[in-house]
Amino acid sequence: TKCNNLTEIFDICSAKAMNIEDYDKGNMPFVTSTTLNNAVEVFIEPSESDKHFEAFNISMSSFGYANIQVEKFVARSHGAYKP
């Protein structure tokens, strides 16, 4: 049986976003390493410099949690915490 590398099956991309507290509230999901709410920490107004991901992608946290994102989203590459 042949085993595939993940890169043979998926495009693996790192996120690019600002710190969570630098955003205004908006309608786009901001995905982090939280285990709650499908990894959506808050809804933001994204900036043009952010990497925007299309809907129906798998997000993977730095802790190994995977979630299917059903909307366009922005993600923090190493997660974020908002007290």
Side-chain angles (χ1 to χ4, degrees):
T1 304
K2 182 181 186 268
C3 296
N4 293 323
N5 290 325
L6 285 176
T7 55
E8 293 175 4
I9 302 169
F10 298 102
D11 293 326
I12 300 174
C13 305
S14 292
K16 179 184 175 196
M18 300 182 299
N19 292 326
I20 196 168
E21 56 274 347
D22 295 331
Y23 290 100
D24 292 328
K25 292 193 183 295
N27 295 320
M28 185 171 284
F30 187 84
V31 173
T32 70
S33 294
T34 183
T35 58
L36 305 172
N37 198 29
N38 202 42
V40 176
E41 183 83 23
V42 67
F43 288 85
I44 61 160
E45 185 63 42
S47 87
E48 290 182 21
S49 64
D50 295 334
K51 181 172 181 70
H52 298 210
F53 292 91
E54 294 297 321
F56 300 102
N57 271 294
I58 300 170
S59 64
M60 177 71 83
S61 78
S62 56
F63 301 110
Y65 297 110
N67 292 283
I68 297 173
Q69 302 302 329
V70 297
E71 299 180 53
K72 288 183 178 183
F73 67 98
V74 170
R76 186 73 180 151
S77 63
H78 65 324
Y81 173 72
K82 182 176 182 183

